[in-house]
Amino acid sequence: MRLLSRPNTLNLALQGGGAHGAFTWGVLDALLEDGRFNIDGISGTSAGAMNAVVLAQGLMDGGRDQARAALDKFWQAVAASAPPGLDVATSRGADAAPMVKWMMQWTQYFTPAQINPLGIDPLADIVRKQIDFERLRRGSPVKLFIAATQVRTGKLHIFRNSQLSAEALLASACLPTIHRTVEVHGEPYWDGGYAGNPAVFPLFYECHSPDTLLVLLNPLERKQLPDSADGIADRMAEIGFNAAFLREMRMFALLQSQLPKRWMGLSLGILERRMHRARFHLIDGGDTLLDFTPDTKMTASGTLFDRLKALGREHARRWLKANASSVGNKSSVDIAEQFL
């Protein structure tokens, strides 16, 4: 069967990264403002999942302009839900507020239930207020793939359109040292970043568009080794949250590198045809976000969000100028160079 696609369609793979997901907000805002691409599918983890579902809600409600407004409303609500004193500087080398550092220290000794016995969750309130999950299950204009990690098995679980719920979305962003475990139909879940940050294979297998734009928040490479206890712990966490994604992209790179040797004179199967058509693109915010300490990922601050949004828009505009014409024609990033 011939696989159909339109040259102006694009899949999005949105990485998680806590508050640094506001960078992805900026990327999405610029893409929506530009208007050249329709979105086929979005795979998102944690903050990437939040951005994905809010974007789909906005598109369903009123197209690109409404999607931009929905993202703006969501991130403003998250900032407004934070206690006073969580603002951070907007300059390079921005650090988290002392209250954030203090709270993170307590998570080493107490469970979320002990720290927050009343189960107060402002993010859950925002999600339930702003997202109409019943309508999205029936009529989302894009295919959604929301990653979460099954606690019992450690396996990746993908919530698709028909399975969308507030609990599924919150499960994707459930850091177990900070949030209570989220149950969906009796199954406990933690943050999707442990098993896929983001998961790319659903876009490859289940979407018509062969073009996938990766929007990354974690650096693919750190040039300086950590030299403090906190730095070592932060890098360990970063490697853990990147591992599944790096393995998956390595697989894609290896398969594509073998195609020229195998397809000459041979009839290609479905997998080979899909792989031959697959095109990848990349907006990498990782190096830029190194200017912000890891603690800022836990900071709900309007000042921080605005700064990150501006950086995301800047990266997206540069990508559009240099690579928009590649969509529908060729990859604009060499995944073998990046991931092998």
Side-chain angles (χ1 to χ4, degrees), residues 124-141:
D125 295 338
I126 294 167
V127 163
R128 292 189 172 93
K129 181 177 180 180
Q130 296 193 8
I131 306 298
D132 188 337
F133 289 97
E134 183 178 352
R135 281 187 63 213
L136 276 178
R137 288 193 294 270
R138 294 196 315 264
S140 172

Side-chain angles (χ1 to χ4, degrees), residues 84-266:
L86 291 186
D87 222 355
V88 297
T90 59
S91 60
R92 289 185 178 274
D95 202 355
M99 185 183 295
V100 175
K101 294 179 178 292
W102 178 81
M103 290 172 59
M104 293 305 296
Q105 289 176 352
W106 279 106
T107 64
Q108 299 177 43
Y109 305 103
F110 298 99
T111 68
Q114 291 171 320
I115 295 173
N116 182 13
L118 298 180
I120 298 170
D121 190 348
L123 180 60
D125 295 338
I126 294 167
V127 163
R128 292 189 172 93
K129 181 177 180 180
Q130 296 193 8
I131 306 298
D132 188 337
F133 289 97
E134 183 178 352
R135 281 187 63 213
L136 276 178
R137 288 193 294 270
R138 294 196 315 264
S140 172
V142 299
K143 302 179 187 74
L144 293 169
F145 307 97
I146 304 305
T149 303
Q150 291 183 339
V151 180
R152 293 185 304 104
T153 66
K155 293 180 180 179
L156 172 69
H157 183 86
I158 300 293
F159 293 99
R160 291 165 172 81
N161 291 41
S162 63
Q163 303 169 305
L164 290 176
S165 66
E167 289 72 26
L169 182 55
L170 293 167
S172 183
C174 176
L175 289 172
T177 58
I178 299 173
H179 307 110
R180 295 188 183 200
T181 299
V182 177
E183 290 194 4
V184 182
H185 302 304
E187 184 71 38
Y189 291 95
W190 285 345
D191 195 292
Y194 296 111
N197 191 25
V200 181
F201 72 89
L203 303 173
F204 176 78
Y205 283 108
E206 301 181 40
C207 293
H208 291 302
S209 177
D211 288 272
T212 295
L213 173 60
L214 310 170
V215 183
L216 305 186
L217 303 179
N218 293 328
L220 291 173
E221 179 182 353
R222 280 187 178 267
K223 295 180 173 58
Q224 293 184 337
L225 294 177
D227 57 4
S228 67
D230 286 344
I232 292 170
D234 292 334
R235 184 55 179 158
M236 288 172 58
E238 203 168 64
I239 290 172
F241 273 90
N242 271 1
F245 167 71
L246 292 176
R247 283 195 297 269
E248 189 176 10
M249 291 308 301
R250 180 180 175 84
M251 179 199 70
F252 281 119
L254 285 170
L255 289 174
Q256 284 200 332
S257 70
Q258 294 299 312
L259 277 178
K261 300 176 183 177
R262 297 183 56 198
W263 79 295
M264 297 295 289
L266 298 176

Side-chain angles (χ1 to χ4, degrees), residues 260-279:
K261 300 176 183 177
R262 297 183 56 198
W263 79 295
M264 297 295 289
L266 298 176
S267 176
L268 295 179
I270 294 176
L271 176 62
E272 287 85 356
R273 289 200 301 271
R274 283 183 178 273
M275 187 58 62
H276 184 66
R277 294 171 64 250
R279 296 182 287 266

Side-chain angles (χ1 to χ4, degrees), residues 23-24 26-27 30 283 307-317:
F23 175 93
T24 303
V27 170
I283 295 178
R307 173 63 175 157
L308 291 170
K309 179 190 178 184
L311 289 171
R313 281 182 55 83
E314 179 184 332
H315 277 63
R317 287 196 299 266

